[in-house]
Amino acid sequence: MGETLRIAIQKKGRLSEKSLDLIKTCGIHFGCDSRVLKEVASNFPIEFLYIRDDDIPSYVDKGIADIGIVGKNEYDEQQIPLIIARDLGFAKCRLSIAVPNDFKYEGLKSLEGKRIATSYPNILDTILKGKGVNASYVKVSGAVEITPTVGISDAICDLVSTGTTLKMNGLKEVESIYYSSAVMIQNNNLSEEKKQILSRLLLRIDAVHRAKDYKYVSFNLPEEHLEDVGHIVGSMKSPTVTKLFEEGWVSVQTVVAEDKFWEAFEKLKAIGAQGILVTKIEKMTE
Ligand code: AMP
């Protein structure tokens, strides 16, 4: 029997669902029941390990897991050098400095000599030192927002997505210093066979990601305007063109970048396109 690639996924939390969804969209079948701690996929040589996300970098480093999905913040904080196989783009958040509403903040230099509570002292220290600011850190693992009120910090540095929790605790966000999203990390010494399995997985992940950026578009067009289509859609190879029964008309199928879609739609309408159909693409390779 061949080898199996072992992937570590957060057992329960902000990363779990999207990590499992990504693997599922890659056509890999498994129970995705994170109440079990370990399970094997039925149609791909991959095995799942459900653990706490802060354990993922060290599990991957020690080879207990071969790859893992973790927030870039967690990976950078732990300072364990591993390969980042892919930035997966979900679980986006920022690490921000927040201070009590009455704190007179005039840039990072206002933090000189202050006590900053954070779960990410290593990331913060690297950034502040880089700006020539010396502060001290109070390492907490949760409820960071409460620390100024109880007198153990002057400011905080925490992950934010909307900022509502900060406001509710009488704090103002004054500076975003670091941006994170989920990444796939990889053990540095994978066997050749495991590397092969990983590249098969990454090929699927890339196809899923690429598909998100494009739409499949088909429409009917007077043949005389066919030459304009290439300039308008400007993606992939030449569109597929089929003659319609009605003389002088063609049907065109092509792929359009999501961010160019509305502009292309308007231009296609302007050259007489009719019956424009837009379809979501599930997977797409180059
Ligand atoms: P959690 O499930 O709360 O332990 O969060 C896991 C990971 O989700 C964090 O390490 C971040 O990478 C990411 N994340 C995304 N948005 C946020 C947020 N608003 N607060 C905390 N973590 C977030």
Side-chain angles (χ1 to χ4, degrees), residues 53 73-74 77 95 117-125 137 139-140 157-159:
D53 65 327
N73 53 296
E74 202 56 58
E77 179 60 24
L95 200 52
T118 184
S119 310
Y120 301 96
N122 289 330
I123 298 180
L124 181 58
D125 188 45
Y137 307 104
K139 178 151 187 185
V140 285
C157 176
D158 200 12
L159 289 176

Side-chain angles (χ1 to χ4, degrees), residues 16-31:
S16 316
E17 201 183 321
K18 291 219 166 117
S19 305
L20 295 174
D21 281 351
L22 176 66
I23 307 290
K24 270 190 269 174
T25 328
C26 290
I28 296 173
H29 298 163
F30 58 109

Side-chain angles (χ1 to χ4, degrees), residues 10 12-16 52-54 70-75 90-94 120 158-163 165 180-182:
Q10 186 190 32
K12 195 163 174 285
R14 284 186 170 94
L15 299 165
S16 316
R52 282 173 54 104
D53 65 327
D54 38 1
V70 71
K72 185 156 187 302
N73 53 296
E74 202 56 58
Y75 168 71
F90 61 84
K92 282 196 192 318
C93 55
R94 57 188 189 271
Y120 301 96
D158 200 12
L159 289 176
V160 183
S161 47
T162 61
T165 322
S180 175
S181 54

Side-chain angles (χ1 to χ4, degrees), residues 17 23 27 43-45 82 95-96 128 138 150 152 162 165 169 172 198 210 212 228 230 234 240 247 264 272:
E17 201 183 321
I23 307 290
N43 62 347
F44 196 86
L82 297 164
L95 200 52
S96 286
L128 288 189
V138 182
V150 296
I152 57 167
T162 61
T165 322
N169 284 283
K172 54 181 179 186
L198 177 58
R210 203 171 293 120
K212 282 207 183 107
D228 301 325
T240 307
E247 190 64 30

Side-chain angles (χ1 to χ4, degrees), residues 9-11 16-17 19-21 23-24 28-36 38-41 48 50:
I9 286 184
Q10 186 190 32
K11 183 168 163 56
S16 316
E17 201 183 321
S19 305
L20 295 174
D21 281 351
I23 307 290
K24 270 190 269 174
I28 296 173
H29 298 163
F30 58 109
C32 47
D33 182 353
S34 56
R35 283 171 306 179
V36 298
K38 193 161 147 297
E39 62 172 324
V40 188
F48 301 83
Y50 300 112

Side-chain angles (χ1 to χ4, degrees), residues 93-108:
C93 55
R94 57 188 189 271
L95 200 52
S96 286
I97 306 276
V99 293
N101 286 329
D102 57 3
F103 187 111
K104 270 189 110 199
Y105 186 81
E106 289 162 346
L108 287 176

